[in-house]
Amino acid sequence: MQFVLGFLPPSMLPDVRDRLRTAFGPQRAEQRLDPLSQLIKSLISARTYDEVAWAAFVRLRAAFPDWSALGRADPRRIEATIDTVTFADRKARQLPVLIRVLQLRPAQLDLAHLADMEIDAAMTWLQGLPGVGCKAAAAVLNFSTLNRRALVVDSHVHRTVRRLGLVGRSALPSEAYAMLMAEAPEDWGAEDLFELHWLLKKLSQSICTLEKPACGLCPFAADCPRVDATIAAGAPLAFPAR
Ligand code: SF4
């Protein structure tokens, strides 16, 4: 297999998925949140370890069993509840604003209308909400009970797809999202993109790590444009952080 920087024939993503599946096993959703809960979780998860973000989300859910109450909540109470996440103060100010914006259109508070929108329109609609970017929008669509066809490009996926040459080295996350969505086989559904996300994330967390990827252990060692033969044979490599 030969990756070509910035361009990937549609047939290559299944091969990437299959190699990663062989390495890490199949990935399936064990539980899915409702769309609004997923949106709130995604917003408090930014730049935060998954387990820390999940614990904060659970505390927030317990403090506000009715999410609409977040719109009237004192940001200081929210911040105290999610204080373990990065930028808790900023996120605590964002959440009430988000809920109040959604409450201007009460029929859309549960985000159920996204189930029937074209995926690009749904992404655009979500990214029009305060504080919502490409990653959070795709997470709402793909990770939640909506189970829509969108690939979540978080920092882990972003790093590995650039190193692999699946997208250009300087591609922004939103650009990587667009390129990978365009390259995904037409017959791939939401579950395929869900699995690709988690497989790439596992690769990033366990082998293609930020500073010292273990290329000799990687299923792409023979093909990856970031690796020479010496490294592919097992020598560690230190990459500049990016
Ligand atoms: S070969 Fe190395 S740089 Fe390429 S994806 Fe694997 S771990 Fe990352």
Side-chain angles (χ1 to χ4, degrees):
M1 182 172 68
Q2 180 63 53
F3 293 126
V4 180
L5 189 67
F7 175 77
L8 185 70
S11 62
M12 301 303 278
L13 280 184
D15 186 43
V16 170
R17 190 262 307 271
D18 290 349
R19 291 200 206 186
L20 291 172
R21 189 190 274 166
T22 298
F24 299 112
Q27 308 294 310
R28 291 286 178 263
E30 295 179 359
Q31 64 173 343
R32 292 181 181 274
L33 298 172
D34 66 86
L36 181 56
S37 295
Q38 179 62 57
L39 176 57
I40 291 169
K41 178 182 176 295
S42 295
L43 293 182
I44 67 175
S45 297
R47 297 178 179 271
T48 302
Y49 289 117
D50 288 350
E51 54 274 21
V52 173
W54 177 255
F57 172 79
V58 170
R59 293 196 302 275
L60 191 66
R61 177 87 266 194
F64 298 94
D66 176 3
W67 286 134
S68 66
L70 265 182
R72 304 183 299 275
D74 185 333
R76 290 172 296 185
R77 182 186 173 203
I78 299 173
E79 181 180 353
T81 306
I82 62 169
D83 62 346
T84 50
V85 305
T86 307
F87 303 132
D89 54 340
R90 184 196 307 170
K91 294 169 181 175
R93 291 194 302 273
Q94 281 180 342
L95 288 174
V97 176
L98 171 71
I99 296 298
R100 288 198 295 272
V101 167
L102 289 171
Q103 285 171 328
L104 293 175
R105 296 166 282 188
Q108 296 174 339
L109 185 59
D110 64 4
L111 306 181
H113 66 289
L114 296 173
D116 300 320
M117 292 177 74
E118 291 289 331
I119 203 71
D120 289 347
M123 285 289 291
T124 299
W125 190 92
L126 282 161
Q127 290 177 86
L129 297 172
V132 180
C134 182
K135 183 186 82 170
V140 170
L141 294 171
N142 187 251
F143 290 174
S144 79
T145 51
L146 290 171
N147 196 18
R148 300 292 312 275
R149 192 178 183 279
L151 178 66
V152 179
V153 179
D154 64 6
S155 59
H156 294 285
V157 172
H158 187 220
R159 182 171 71 243
T160 52
V161 296
R162 283 180 297 149
R163 284 178 175 174
L164 282 167
L166 302 181
V167 302
R169 185 86 62 86
S170 61
L172 298 172
S174 59
E175 294 168 337
Y177 168 83
M179 294 178 72
L180 293 167
M181 287 297 293
E183 292 160 357
E186 288 186 5
D187 63 351
W188 271 23
E191 298 287 356
D192 295 293
L193 294 171
F194 179 94
E195 182 169 36
L196 182 65
H197 165 85
W198 288 102
L199 288 169
L200 287 167
K201 186 161 183 166
K202 283 185 176 293
L203 176 69
S204 167
Q205 291 177 319
S206 62
I207 296 176
C208 193
T209 54
L210 182 61
E211 296 184 358
K212 291 187 177 179
C215 298
L217 302 175
C218 181
F220 304 104
D223 313 287
C224 180
R226 298 291 296 271
V227 180
D228 64 25
T230 304
I231 295 162
L237 171 67
F239 281 169
R242 51 176 296 174

